[in-house]
């Protein structure tokens, strides 16, 4: 049995965060993941909390701010979108992030529901979306059924376990070895940060 604590997401399980938006890619650098997501190269720098808020804080709640932080956890790079969510506006983003590897996206907002998308080598393998009942997409939409059942969830019956749908998705991600250290998410120490370029359609 996989210990979910090894995934480095356990600190998120009981948090009632208004916005959650992460993209992960395996065996690439954080800077490369930013490049795959379309970062403005002129904005990329390692910033501590004071510099981050001084240089980027005013854009956090702007519709076209696209402020991100990035880092590593074990073999996975992560990018956290902290305001506007390019990865939800550009549905091909997680596919590009997965070219030659695997990528995962996790999203949730104050509206009920969460989004989990797992891609490999440019193709969506499994998409799970609880904002639309329990919508499954991808070439193998049942890829994680064994893990879902092992976690005691029955999503087609709207039963996601004691931590809800987002908690279930965190646990599925953690089982893949994905994580983000809490001190990095809070920028308690310097992290890579910058702004993504707006989607091409905007």
């Amino acid at each position: 049995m996989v210990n979910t604590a090894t995934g480095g997401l356990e600190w998120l399980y009981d948090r009632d965060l208004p916005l959650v938006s992460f993209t992960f890619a395996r065996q690439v650098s954080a800077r490369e993941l930013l490049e795959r997501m379309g970062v403005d190269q002129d904005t990329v720098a390692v910033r501590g909390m004071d510099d981050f808020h001084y240089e980027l804080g005013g854009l956090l709640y702007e519709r076209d701010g696209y402020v991100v932080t990035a880092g590593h956890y074990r073999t996975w790079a992560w990018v956290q979108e902290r305001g506007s969510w390019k990865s939800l506006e550009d549905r091909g983003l997680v596919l590009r992030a997965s070219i030659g590897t695997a990528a995962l996206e996790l999203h949730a907002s104050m509206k009920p529901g969460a989004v989990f998308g797992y891609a490999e080598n440019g193709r969506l393998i499994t998409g799970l979306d609880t904002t639309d009942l329990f919508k499954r997409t991808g070439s193998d939409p049942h890829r994680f059924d064994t893990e879902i059942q092992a976690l005691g969830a029955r999503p087609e019956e709207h039963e996601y376990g004691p931590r809800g749908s987002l908690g279930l998705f965190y646990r599925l991600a953690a089982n893949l070895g994905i994580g983000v250290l809490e001190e990095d998410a809070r920028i308690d120490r310097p992290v890579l940060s910058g702004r993504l370029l707006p989607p091409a359609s905007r």
Side-chain angles (χ1 to χ4, degrees), residues 20-160:
V20 174
S21 185
F22 286 102
T23 300
F24 305 89
R26 188 170 56 204
Q27 295 179 331
V28 301
S29 69
R31 186 175 289 270
E32 182 176 351
L33 178 54
L34 285 171
E35 291 171 357
R36 292 180 178 208
M37 293 177 69
V39 75
D40 180 345
Q41 297 283 1
D42 292 336
T43 68
V44 178
V46 175
R47 297 176 175 92
M49 184 179 293
D50 290 344
D51 287 340
F52 175 82
H53 284 289
Y54 178 75
E55 297 176 32
L56 300 173
L59 299 166
L60 286 174
Y61 304 104
E62 296 294 329
R63 182 170 180 267
D64 58 353
Y66 298 105
V67 175
V68 293
T69 52
H72 293 95
Y73 183 88
R74 297 186 177 177
T75 61
W76 291 81
W78 57 264
V79 169
Q80 182 178 7
E81 295 185 70
R82 294 181 169 268
S84 38
W85 292 1
K86 181 177 180 179
S87 52
L88 279 180
E89 297 173 28
D90 178 357
R91 298 312 300 149
L93 189 150
V94 72
L95 306 183
R96 295 192 300 275
S98 75
I99 292 173
T101 185
L104 179 83
E105 60 179 347
L106 290 173
H107 307 287
S109 68
M110 295 183 73
K111 296 179 181 179
V115 174
F116 173 104
Y118 175 77
E120 291 178 349
N121 201 27
R123 295 187 307 122
L124 180 66
I125 304 300
T126 305
L128 306 173
D129 186 347
T130 67
T131 65
D132 184 7
L133 297 177
F134 188 73
K135 182 178 181 181
R136 294 178 181 267
T137 54
S139 62
D140 187 1
H142 295 276
R143 163 76 71 91
F144 297 97
D145 278 9
T146 299
E147 291 87 344
I148 289 171
Q149 292 165 8
L151 293 169
R154 300 184 305 279
E156 270 76 17
E157 300 173 30
H158 310 294
E159 174 55 56
Y160 301 103

Side-chain angles (χ1 to χ4, degrees), residues 5-25:
T6 64
L9 292 172
E10 63 276 4
W11 63 273
L12 278 167
Y13 290 167
D14 298 318
R15 297 290 181 88
D16 188 19
L17 299 177
L19 300 172
V20 174
S21 185
F22 286 102
T23 300
F24 305 89

